[in-house]
């Protein structure tokens, strides 16, 4: 079992030598100024995005929804560029943009949402927590663009499943965090919910696992004043076809995807620790 001080390394592929927030008072002060700048820029861009998103509603549910994600993608790219973050994609297997997928990824930071938007290059709908819709202005964009789920209500969960299946029926891929909430454990992943895997089997849609390696370093789940510049890497793992699975094998499929993602996170942790040791010795 990894020690608590190594939790960041396990989830991001970076070693425990990097401490966040910085212990140096000057560096911490600079980080707070940086965070305030990033949040203010986010808010300004959010109002611009709101106008464009509202205009997209005139295009209808499907075309308008697809257009919203183009706008949100642009918002994420410009914002990340302006705050010194850059997105890197690592393909262990290609993504066929003509196909539909159920994309799944690990969940460790609020920066997972920009990472998801930047990582998907085809029509997509993201499943998110209903609680995010309560924020002024952002909540309106969220309600229009995302599929929200109320996990405390059986009716709410069923409604979100119907919306996800409706998106797939319109040849739109969907994105789900199978852990449901932030992983605050010392392990690479929390346990998965069944939902994504049940929908995959019922709709015969392949699963595409992704790994977000750095979002925890870019912003810890403690809050917005933990933001730092740097890279956000997404790893694209091989597709998981579901044609040979029955609904009775949801657990088997879930365990297969969990094993793939856990192994991937551990491999990248080891790889980047080795790379850093090599760099130090040169």
């Amino acid at each position: 079992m990894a020690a608590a001080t190594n939790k960041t390394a396990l989830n991001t592929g970076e070693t425990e030598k990097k401490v966040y927030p910085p212990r140096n008072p000057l560096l911490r002060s600079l980080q707070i100024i940086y965070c305030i700048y990033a949040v203010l820029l986010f808010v300004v861009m959010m109002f611009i995005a709101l106008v464009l998103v509202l205009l997209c509603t005139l295009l209808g549910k499907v075309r308008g929804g697809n257009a919203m994600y183009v706008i949100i993608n642009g918002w994420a790219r410009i914002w990340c560029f302006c705050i010194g973050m850059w997105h890197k994609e690592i393909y262990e297997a290609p993504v066929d943009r003509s196909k539909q997928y159920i994309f799944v990824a690990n969940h460790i930071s609020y920066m997972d949402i920009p990472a998801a938007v930047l990582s998907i290059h085809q029509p997509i709908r993201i499943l998110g927590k209903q609680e995010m819709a309560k924020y002024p202005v952002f909540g309106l964009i969220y309600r229009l663009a995302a599929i929200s789920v109320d996990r405390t209500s059986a009716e709410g969960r069923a409604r979100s499943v119907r919306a996800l299946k409706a998106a797939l029926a319109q040849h739109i891929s969907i994105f789900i965090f199978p852990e449901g909430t932030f992983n605050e454990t010392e392990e690479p992943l929390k346990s998965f919910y069944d939902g994504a895997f049940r929908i995959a089997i019922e709709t015969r849609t392949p699963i595409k696992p992704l790994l977000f390696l750095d979002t925890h370093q870019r912003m810890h789940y403690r809050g917005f004043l933990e933001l730092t510049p740097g890279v956000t890497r997404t790893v694209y793992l091989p597709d998981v076809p579901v044609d040979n699975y029955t609904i009775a094998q949801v657990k088997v499929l879930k365990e297969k995807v969990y094993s793939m993602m856990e192994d991937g996170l551990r491999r990248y942790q080891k790889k980047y620790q080795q790379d850093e040791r090599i760099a130090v010795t040169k």
Side-chain angles (χ1 to χ4, degrees):
M1 180 73 71
T5 55
N6 196 40
K7 178 179 177 182
T8 297
L10 189 59
N11 281 289
T12 66
E14 300 185 37
T15 68
E16 65 272 23
K17 294 178 183 178
K18 297 182 180 181
V19 178
Y20 297 103
R23 292 173 180 170
N24 183 297
L26 175 60
L27 290 178
R28 181 54 177 160
S29 298
L30 291 174
Q31 184 189 28
I32 291 173
I33 294 170
Y34 167 80
C35 292
I36 293 170
Y37 158 72
V39 170
L40 289 175
L41 181 62
F42 182 90
V43 171
V44 170
M45 294 185 68
M46 178 175 65
F47 280 98
I48 297 171
L50 175 62
V51 175
L52 298 174
V53 165
L54 290 174
L55 290 174
C56 288
T57 60
L58 302 176
L59 299 176
K61 190 170 184 179
V62 175
R63 289 179 59 205
N66 292 342
M68 286 178 198
Y69 273 88
V70 173
I71 291 165
I72 293 169
N73 182 284
W75 174 15
R77 287 187 185 280
I78 296 170
W79 182 68
C80 286
F81 174 80
C82 290
I83 64 172
M85 291 188 191
W86 60 95
H87 178 65
K88 181 179 180 181
E89 298 178 351
I90 303 169
Y91 289 87
E92 291 192 359
V95 178
D96 185 347
R97 298 185 188 182
S98 67
K99 288 175 59 176
Q100 289 172 267
Y101 293 101
I102 296 178
F103 291 92
V104 296
N106 55 305
H107 196 17
I108 193 65
S109 167
Y110 286 110
M111 286 302 298
D112 292 338
I113 300 301
V117 171
L118 293 172
S119 299
I120 309 302
H121 308 291
Q122 58 205 81
I124 187 75
R125 298 294 183 271
I126 296 176
L127 180 69
K129 297 183 295 184
Q130 189 179 52
E131 292 89 334
M132 297 296 291
K134 69 183 180 182
Y135 296 105
V137 185
F138 178 82
L140 177 55
I141 297 173
Y142 184 85
R143 286 194 298 272
L144 291 171
I147 296 172
S148 62
V149 57
D150 179 5
R151 295 192 183 276
T152 65
S153 163
E155 181 182 349
R157 293 193 299 271
R159 188 183 307 114
S160 66
V161 168
R162 289 194 297 270
L164 291 166
K165 287 182 176 180
L168 291 171
Q170 295 288 341
H171 307 290
I172 298 169
S173 295
I174 60 176
F175 188 106
I176 299 175
F177 292 109
E179 294 167 285
T181 57
F182 289 153
N183 176 17
E184 300 180 27
T185 74
E186 297 175 8
E187 298 301 316
L189 294 168
K190 285 175 56 179
S191 59
F192 285 177
Y193 286 94
D194 289 350
F197 310 99
R198 183 175 297 276
I199 293 171
I201 292 173
E202 289 176 344
T203 61
R204 296 300 178 199
T205 306
I207 292 174
K208 187 68 172 179
L210 307 181
L211 305 177
F212 295 151
L213 301 181
D214 307 286
T215 53
H216 182 266
Q217 287 286 356
R218 300 292 70 80
M219 186 168 73
H220 195 278
Y221 49 73
R222 285 189 296 260
F224 292 104
L225 292 180
E226 307 296 334
L227 200 64
T228 61
V231 67
T232 59
R233 294 166 294 168
T234 298
V235 179
Y236 298 76
L237 297 178
D239 302 1
V240 181
V242 298
D243 294 336
N244 295 326
Y245 288 88
T246 67
I247 200 65
Q249 295 175 300
V250 168
K251 184 178 179 181
V252 176
L253 176 61
K254 179 174 68 172
E255 289 175 350
K256 176 181 176 65
V257 175
Y258 185 99
S259 179
M260 288 176 63
M261 293 175 65
E262 181 183 43
D263 175 70
L265 288 167
R266 292 190 186 278
R267 280 191 290 109
Y268 279 92
Q269 174 206 6
K270 184 177 180 181
K271 178 182 185 301
Y272 286 100
Q273 284 178 337
Q274 289 173 340
D275 289 349
E276 183 163 300
R277 283 196 294 270
I278 293 169
V280 168
T281 59
K282 287 184 177 179

